[in-house]
Amino acid sequence: MWAFWSNKWAQIEWDMSLTQGICLMFLALWIYAIWPKEELVQLRRDKHLQLRLLLTLVGINALWSLNASIQTGLHLHFLGIVTCMLMFGWRLATLMLLLPSAFFSLFVLKQPADFGAFSLFAMAAPLFLCFILYSRSYHLFPKHIFVFIFVGGFINAGLSTVFHQLSWAMWLWSAADYDWNVLVDDYLILIPLLAFPEALLNGMAVTLLVVYQPQWLFDYSDREYLWRK
C-alpha cells in the first residue's frame, strides 16, 4: 500500500506556469464574486444539509474517479454537476465542487497547478451556463413537473457535457499547446457518447429526488409544479 501511494505521489508534477497561476487568480475572483453567503449560513445551521452535502461530495468524487483517460489531459467521466446545482443551488454547488476538482487535479491529472484552470473552465463555467439555461427554462416554459425533470435535469445535464468538454478543449488548445485536430478527433468527437448517459444519469437522479425527497431540491416546490392551476 505504501509503495502504491509513493508511486502515485512521484508521478505528480508540481511546476506551475504563469498561465496556470493567472487561472488560479481568476478562479479566486470568481468564487469571491459568487460567494454563497446565505447558503453557507443555512448550511451551518442544518445538520441534515451538511450530511447530504458530504454524501454528495463523496459520490461526485467517486464519479469523477471513474475516468477513462485517452492521453494526458484528455479525460472522460460523468459529471453530475446539474444534480448538484438542483440540490444546493449553483453558487454553493460551485464552491463544494472545488474539493472534487482538487482531488481530480492531484490524483487523475497529476498536475495540481491545473486546479485553477480545471475548476474554472471545466467546472465553474459549465455550471454557470447550466444555471442560465435552467433559469431561462423556468421563465419561458410552463411550471410543470415534466419541464423541471426533462428540461432542467435531463437536457441541461446533456448540455453540461458539451460545455465541459468544449471549454476544457479550448483551454488545452490555447494554453497547453494541444493540436486542435487531435482534440477534435480524440476528445470532442466523443461528446455524443457521453452526453446522453450524462443526461440519463442526472435525469434519473432528479426524478428520484422529486418523487421521494423533493425537500432536498434547492428551489423545487410541489405547490408550484404539481398543485398550480
Side-chain angles (χ1 to χ4, degrees), residues 139-158:
H139 293 289
L140 294 176
F141 296 109
K143 305 300 184 296
H144 192 279
I145 190 171
F146 176 80
V147 174
F148 181 84
I149 294 173
F150 188 72
V151 179
F154 184 86
I155 293 180
N156 210 11

Side-chain angles (χ1 to χ4, degrees), residues 70 74-76 161-170 173 179-194:
I70 303 171
L74 301 184
H75 56 274
L76 295 171
T161 295
V162 179
F163 299 147
H164 172 82
Q165 291 190 224
L166 279 176
S167 58
W168 185 242
M170 290 296 295
W173 174 69
D179 184 79
W180 183 250
N181 291 326
V182 173
L183 290 172
V184 171
D185 294 338
D186 293 345
Y187 189 55
L188 297 180
I189 197 173
L190 299 175
I191 287 178
L193 295 178
L194 282 179

Side-chain angles (χ1 to χ4, degrees), residues 94-157:
T94 301
L95 184 63
M96 62 177 273
L97 288 173
L98 292 178
L99 185 59
S101 180
F103 184 90
F104 190 86
S105 301
L106 184 63
F107 292 107
V108 178
L109 296 178
K110 295 182 175 62
Q111 293 182 330
D114 269 344
F115 167 70
F118 183 82
S119 298
L120 192 62
F121 293 107
M123 184 271 291
L127 190 59
F128 181 61
L129 292 173
C130 289
F131 165 72
I132 292 176
L133 288 177
Y134 170 69
S135 178
R136 288 293 85 203
S137 69
Y138 178 84
H139 293 289
L140 294 176
F141 296 109
K143 305 300 184 296
H144 192 279
I145 190 171
F146 176 80
V147 174
F148 181 84
I149 294 173
F150 188 72
V151 179
F154 184 86
I155 293 180
N156 210 11

Side-chain angles (χ1 to χ4, degrees), residues 63 77 104 111 157 194 197 211 229:
L63 196 64
H77 59 86
F104 190 86
Q111 293 182 330
L194 282 179
V211 173
K229 295 183 180 180

